[in-house]
Amino acid sequence: MELEESDLLTTEVAGLRLRNPFVLASGILGNTASLLRRAEAAGAGAVTTKTILPEPTKGYENPVVVELPFGLINAMGLPNPGIDEFEIELREARSDLTIPIIASAGGGSPEEVAHVAGRLEDAGADAVEINASCPHVRRHGLEIGSSPELIEELVREVRGSVRVPLLVKLTPMVPDIASLARAAVRAGADGLTAINTVKAMYIDVEAMAPVLSNAVGGLSGPAIRPIAVRAVYEVSRFGDVIGTGGVETWRDAAEMLLAGARAVGIGTAVMTRGLRVFSEIGEGLTSYLRKKGLTLPELVGRGRRDC
Ligand code: SIN
């Protein structure tokens, strides 16, 4: 029986059922209910909020983003309204949107992340994504996110305070990302988001100084896609994966799925090309699946040598 167009792209990831595999990545349009609503209207299968911390944070001074021919480097400094204010926004978003909302939780200690995660769940999050992989904010990233032992401790703590599906966003800046994935799943994570940005810098040769106010930021966009594909390939043995990093076209999305991702994060492309990327990628992927005579679940992991 030929699948309906609307069914062809459905997928399940970490216990969430999505109308299509395209997930608005954290940090892009994820601050307000109205922006999340726009992503849904544009065709996203799920949305991820900006990382929320226990207290409001202003973030770094401008400039916080630099655009390069092959991607963006950003160092925002985790600006966010804090959990008290964001709870109101999330309740509004939950009552408006029909697609799953994944809430990104951060904090300076496992207890803080667990506290934020529990309150995000209470405010209506369908899943929580732990951000322990920001490459440039002290106490919110690599000190924890690059150690399997600390990831395990963090995930255990957060698992104790939420019942909804729990995802962990991983950094690629480690020799063995599989060990992080294994530790996260062992501690109770239902899924993995791979990858966060890659620590990077851009120097203006005329000014003879780094452009970003923080000097160092995180590289996203097409430049990191091969790193993300490799990471997805390595971690999808351990659990469900949202493959994120430089996806701009249906071919890029197909590559992530072939590597083993069950859903595909889209972030930088929304900033550089606009929200229409969701429908463009959806149309292209639908044609590809029809041409190959495959359903989306049949595509997942098909590019793996060990399958
Ligand atoms: C930022 O807000 O600076 C980026 C957050 C992240 O990379 O996790």
Side-chain angles (χ1 to χ4, degrees):
M1 190 186 74
E2 184 140 302
L3 278 167
E4 290 290 320
E5 193 94 333
S6 56
D7 291 336
L8 195 65
L9 294 181
T10 56
T11 187
E12 278 189 32
V13 63
L16 298 173
R17 190 167 167 76
L18 311 189
R19 63 179 177 173
N20 67 54
F22 311 124
V23 179
L24 178 75
S26 177
I28 315 289
L29 307 182
N31 298 14
T32 66
S34 66
L35 289 172
L36 293 172
R37 206 179 298 127
R38 282 181 55 200
E40 175 177 69
V47 289
T48 314
T49 71
K50 175 82 184 149
T51 298
I52 303 303
L53 303 178
E55 300 297 333
T57 311
K58 200 166 143 282
Y60 301 137
E61 298 298 328
N62 282 327
V64 291
V65 182
V66 52
E67 188 165 356
L68 302 171
F70 41 81
L72 302 178
I73 307 179
N74 87 82
M76 310 272 182
L78 294 170
N80 84 106
I83 186 63
D84 288 349
E85 197 177 315
F86 192 73
E87 261 178 354
I88 301 164
E89 207 66 51
L90 184 55
R91 283 186 204 284
E92 185 187 328
R94 188 55 289 157
S95 67
D96 273 10
L97 275 71
T98 57
I99 58 173
I101 301 175
I102 303 168
S104 173
S109 68
E111 293 74 20
E112 280 188 10
V113 184
H115 170 73
V116 170
R119 289 186 58 187
L120 290 168
E121 177 180 47
D122 292 345
D126 299 287
V128 168
E129 179 181 274
I130 301 176
N131 181 3
S133 46
C134 175
H136 55 79
V137 180
R138 280 189 55 234
R139 293 177 64 236
H140 290 90
L142 301 184
E143 305 90 335
I144 294 175
S146 52
S147 152
E149 292 75 27
L150 295 180
I151 280 275
E152 192 163 344
E153 187 190 330
L154 171 63
V155 175
R156 259 189 224 297
E157 186 73 31
V158 179
R159 180 76 282 173
S161 69
V162 297
R163 292 170 304 277
V164 291
L166 187 58
L167 292 139
V168 183
K169 190 162 189 177
L170 300 175
T171 178
M173 296 193 308
V174 285
D176 180 17
I177 193 169
S179 64
L180 299 179
R182 197 185 296 109
V185 171
R186 190 165 50 219
D190 302 288
L192 308 157
T193 303
I195 56 176
N196 207 327
T197 55
V198 178
K199 197 170 184 177
M201 179 185 278
Y202 178 72
I203 291 178
D204 179 332
V205 294
E206 295 305 331
M208 296 192 274
V211 170
L212 295 171
S213 72
N214 187 58
V216 168
L219 177 64
S220 61
I224 68 165
R225 200 179 67 250
I227 301 172
V229 170
R230 183 269 303 166
V232 169
Y233 195 98
E234 288 178 1
V235 304
S236 55
R237 283 187 293 134
F238 301 99
D240 288 3
V241 178
I242 302 178
T244 305
V247 171
E248 291 198 317
T249 68
W250 69 263
R251 284 180 183 279
D252 305 338
E255 198 182 352
M256 285 290 184
L257 296 161
L258 287 162
R262 300 177 72 92
V264 178
I266 302 179
T268 299
V270 173
M271 286 179 77
T272 56
R273 298 187 38 214
L275 281 163
R276 68 174 196 279
V277 291
F278 286 108
S279 57
E280 285 174 4
I281 296 177
E283 282 160 25
L285 191 64
T286 302
S287 305
Y288 174 70
L289 288 169
R290 288 209 181 287
K291 193 176 83 186
K292 295 286 184 192
L294 295 172
T295 63
L296 192 130
E298 286 168 347
L299 191 69
V300 171
R302 215 178 172 92
R304 302 179 59 88
R305 289 259 158 76
D306 53 2
C307 282

